[in-house]
Amino acid sequence: MSLGTKLSKQFVRHISDKASRFVPKSGVYPKGFVVGGIHSGVKKDGKTLDLALLQNTFGKDASAAAVFTTNKFKAAPVQVSSKILKEKKGQGINSIIVNSGNANAVTGVQGMKDAEDMVLVTDSVLENSQHSTFVMSTGVIGNNLPIDNILSGIPKLALNHLGSTHEHWINCANAICTTDTFPKLVTKQFRIDEDVYTLAGLCKGAGMICPNMATLLGFFVTDAPVSPQALQQILKHAVDRSFNSITVDGDMSTNDTIVAIANGAAGGEVIESNSSSSERYAKLQHEVTDFAQKLAQLVVRDGEGATKFITINVKDALSYKDAKEIASTVANSSLFKTAMYGKDANWGRILCAIGYSDVSQANSVIPDRTSVKFVPVDGSEHLKLLVNGEPEKVDEERASQILQDEDLIIEIDLGTGAGQEATFWTCDLTHEYVTINGDYRS
């Protein structure tokens, strides 16, 4: 039995049968990366994994990109990592250190020192050049880290618990969890021209989800060769259409960070953002966006207390911005979300949210051109609720059948003729959500 297997059996959180279907039993992993997770003493139960590390071992400096929270109370690790990204211009960032159980947010001068020390120790242990590590933290806001536990845990993790097996990746995914009910890990292989590349990524998040990533940490890595500038552009495009297009409860955290690292270990022509590699760039952007969406959707499926996974498709909007704004407004409506929990086809709540969306023009929403319908995921007949502003006679029994399913698609057609689209993913709002967050610190 491998060390990774021992760790996962000893420390893995209890995962329900329902949640276990989202945890992969195997994966394909990019060349030149090792990962792992251990219990370092941040979490007080004495056993749960709470310290994670990723390292580029290819031997050449990797390209890196990141997107951070826009919350004005940015946590210390967010400030330190964004400074490193700017200083290094995305070149030569070869590792990521993450702790869970404590956000190191609103922790003053000491919090900044602790985040910087996590970078310093990781760089030293891995024999990196200075400031070659991103740092992330997640958990309770306002408490100082048990920094001695973390700093002594980093060498143990780096020297004894890193590897490239599926178990190591699962351990790493478990080590960044807080209220998550399962570790979130996605992998895929794809081809650009004759070159085969691999993506692997993980994230955490179940509450404080939206706007703009919310209390969400994540990173994904690839063995494709990408310039830092191209990687940053691709990451921003992907995040806008994935992690910035999900919501659980409409709250934004202080720690949100999504990181991408590319080490080029699989070879091939370096992908740039200029016209000479535009086809390769476009292909990578498509693959990364699709990958990020799959990873982000796992966060919604694990929404605190959630019983439903809801896809909101807005079609034929004047602009992508309008389509996304309308989808976001509906997805964040507490009245809509509670109706979905109650299996109530109260489509008036959808129309209400569309009507108060902060769209760009007066004719962005034209009531007598707007249509809404439920789209069952089993492929059965759609249930029309509104057609060109005229209400349909809704078959309540059919609506109730559709709303029994865990997954639901809601399609909103604005009928503007401009053809722009956007998708948002959300969940219902339940009694359990209140219970989880009412007891979060106790």
Side-chain angles (χ1 to χ4, degrees):
M1 183 182 291
S2 71
L3 178 61
T5 304
K6 290 180 181 177
L7 278 172
S8 64
K9 289 185 179 297
Q10 184 177 359
F11 292 118
V12 75
R13 64 193 58 246
H14 172 72
I15 301 173
S16 69
D17 291 340
K18 180 179 177 181
S20 66
R21 63 198 161 112
F22 301 121
V23 182
K25 303 296 188 295
S26 62
V28 289
Y29 296 101
K31 300 174 182 177
F33 291 99
V34 292
V35 298
I38 63 167
H39 172 74
S40 68
V42 182
K43 293 178 180 175
K44 298 176 182 178
D45 64 2
K47 62 178 183 178
T48 305
L49 301 177
D50 57 21
L51 188 64
L53 178 61
L54 174 140
Q55 180 189 11
N56 166 34
T57 59
F58 177 49
K60 294 184 179 180
D61 280 343
S63 296
V67 178
F68 300 101
T69 183
T70 57
N71 194 307
K72 289 183 172 57
F73 285 94
K74 292 177 175 60
V78 169
Q79 296 181 60
V80 170
S81 292
S82 58
K83 181 180 177 182
I84 290 172
L85 180 65
K86 184 176 180 180
E87 171 192 317
K88 304 275 283 193
K89 297 180 180 179
Q91 188 68 49
I93 297 167
N94 293 303
S95 51
I96 306 169
I97 186 72
V98 190
N99 78 271
S100 60
N102 184 311
N104 192 14
V106 199
T107 46
V109 174
Q110 183 62 48
M112 290 294 293
K113 183 179 184 305
D114 290 345
E116 290 166 352
D117 284 348
M118 288 175 67
V119 170
L120 180 67
V121 170
T122 303
D123 283 341
S124 175
V125 171
L126 298 180
E127 298 182 350
N128 289 336
S129 59
Q130 189 177 29
H131 291 169
S132 295
T133 300
F134 280 143
V135 57
M136 305 183 196
S137 298
T138 183
V140 176
I141 294 170
N143 294 339
N144 286 116
L145 290 171
I147 191 61
D148 290 342
N149 294 345
I150 293 173
L151 297 184
S152 62
I154 291 171
K156 296 176 185 176
L157 173 54
L159 299 176
N160 301 311
H161 299 283
L162 296 184
S164 57
T165 70
H166 178 68
E167 292 294 342
H168 286 98
W169 280 90
I170 286 289
N171 288 342
C172 190
N174 268 302
I176 70 172
C177 291
T178 52
T179 61
D180 308 64
T181 65
F182 63 88
K184 299 165 181 65
L185 172 65
V186 174
T187 68
K188 72 180 293 188
Q189 279 191 331
F190 60 96
R191 184 182 294 274
I192 300 180
D193 299 329
E194 298 303 314
D195 300 311
V196 177
Y197 298 120
T198 307
L199 274 162
L202 49 91
C203 68
K204 61 82 50 183
M208 292 185 77
I209 303 297
C210 189
N212 298 335
M213 297 188 296
T215 185
L216 190 148
L217 299 184
F219 51 87
F220 44 91
V221 296
T222 181
D223 48 19
V226 194
S227 73
Q229 295 81 6
L231 190 61
Q232 186 66 47
Q233 292 171 8
I234 288 170
L235 180 64
K236 185 179 185 307
H237 177 93
V239 167
D240 282 345
R241 289 157 180 78
S242 58
F243 295 105
N244 283 352
S245 293
I246 60 174
T247 180
V248 169
D249 47 20
D251 268 314
M252 182 197 295
S253 177
T254 53
N255 290 60
D256 318 326
T257 305
I258 300 293
V259 168
I261 293 180
N263 67 3
E269 178 188 348
V270 176
I271 297 170
E272 303 279 0
S273 55
N274 57 35
S275 58
S276 65
S277 62
S278 59
E279 289 186 12
R280 289 171 63 81
Y281 176 93
K283 175 65 173 175
L284 183 62
Q285 178 175 268
H286 170 77
E287 295 292 348
V288 170
T289 300
D290 175 75
F291 178 85
Q293 287 175 347
K294 289 180 171 59
L295 198 53
Q297 288 170 26
L298 291 177
V299 175
V300 178
R301 290 194 178 278
D302 197 23
E304 290 174 344
T307 66
K308 290 193 177 301
F309 176 81
I310 305 165
T311 301
I312 299 175
N313 291 328
V314 176
K315 297 187 172 183
D316 203 10
L318 283 180
S319 65
Y320 170 74
K321 183 178 179 182
D322 277 353
K324 186 175 179 181
E325 172 62 27
I326 290 168
S328 171
T329 303
V330 175
N332 279 300
S333 165
S334 295
L335 287 177
F336 162 71
K337 290 158 71 69
T338 52
M340 294 300 96
Y341 173 56
K343 303 178 178 63
D344 179 9
N346 190 347
W347 55 268
R349 293 180 176 181
I350 301 173
L351 267 292
C352 181
I354 295 171
Y356 66 71
S357 301
D358 186 18
V359 290
S360 60
Q361 300 180 40
N363 63 343
S364 292
V365 176
I366 303 172
D368 61 9
R369 294 185 186 176
T370 302
S371 302
V372 179
K373 60 186 174 184
F374 287 163
V375 181
V377 296
D378 62 6
S380 59
E381 187 177 356
H382 301 175
L383 181 65
K384 296 178 180 178
L385 306 172
L386 188 78
V387 178
N388 292 326
E390 291 291 329
E392 295 289 291
K393 185 176 180 180
V394 177
D395 182 340
E396 294 291 345
E397 183 176 346
R398 172 65 176 146
S400 179
Q401 289 175 345
I402 293 172
L403 292 175
Q404 294 298 321
D405 292 338
E406 179 182 350
D407 287 27
L408 172 67
I409 300 170
I410 295 174
E411 185 175 299
I412 300 167
D413 190 328
L414 298 174
T416 70
Q420 296 299 304
E421 302 181 1
T423 300
F424 228 84
W425 296 275
T426 189
C427 60
D428 52 353
L429 191 59
T430 70
H431 300 293
E432 183 65 16
Y433 175 85
V434 178
T435 300
I436 290 169
N437 284 282
D439 294 340
Y440 184 62
R441 293 203 308 164
S442 57

